[in-house]
Amino acid sequence: MHERAELSRRARRPKRLRLGAGVAVLLMLAGLAAAVVVALVQEGDHVSAVAPHNTSSTSIPSVIYVHVLGAVQSPGLYQLSEGARVMDAVAAAGGLTDAADDAAINLARFVTDGEQVRVPEVGEGTQQEGTDEQGR
């Protein structure tokens, strides 16, 4: 009888071993699921800024027309790229003359399509470039 008891213990060991391995796998899966849930919850606290794709870089640049006159080398109508500044318009007109009052204009200002940029000579009136008599 003692032999039968010994055989039944040996027969049970594999069942216990299988049961223990199954529990271990279930615990690992539960831990993995908990880690995923925690990661997803914490991801909601994270703020991420994504810059929009700039589609204009692949397209043909827009062209604007600017009328440059006054104390420049070659007054006239010039075609410039969108985003150009007063300094670009003056450069397109050949640059300032010796009589130009460069302190009276803002060379860093952006120009717009259809704008007139007037470069005054030293001692001329103080009307801002690109405006009319009413300041528009």
Side-chain angles (χ1 to χ4, degrees), residues 68-75 86-87 89-107 117-122:
V68 184
L69 64 133
V72 292
Q73 298 294 331
S74 302
V86 171
M87 66 179 185
V90 170
L96 300 171
T97 64
D98 292 335
D101 187 2
D102 60 345
I105 59 172
N106 179 2
L107 294 171
V117 176
R118 186 177 183 291
V119 179
E121 291 185 0
V122 175

Side-chain angles (χ1 to χ4, degrees), residues 4-111:
R4 276 190 172 168
E6 187 66 33
L7 285 174
S8 69
R9 278 189 212 157
R10 288 183 189 166
R12 283 190 222 164
R13 280 187 188 162
K15 285 185 182 179
R16 284 187 183 175
L17 185 62
R18 281 185 266 160
L19 182 62
V23 169
V25 168
L26 285 176
L27 286 175
M28 285 178 37
L29 288 175
L32 181 62
V36 168
V37 169
V38 168
L40 289 175
V41 169
Q42 287 180 348
E43 188 175 299
D45 295 339
H46 178 70
V47 177
S48 176
V50 178
H53 179 66
N54 186 0
T55 57
S56 64
S57 64
T58 58
S59 64
I60 299 172
S62 297
V63 174
I64 62 171
Y65 291 91
V66 179
H67 183 199
V68 184
L69 64 133
V72 292
Q73 298 294 331
S74 302
L77 183 64
Y78 292 93
Q79 190 177 25
L80 302 171
S81 297
E82 188 173 36
R85 298 178 183 265
V86 171
M87 66 179 185
D88 299 319
V90 170
L96 300 171
T97 64
D98 292 335
D101 187 2
D102 60 345
I105 59 172
N106 179 2
L107 294 171
R109 185 177 59 79
F110 288 103
V111 293

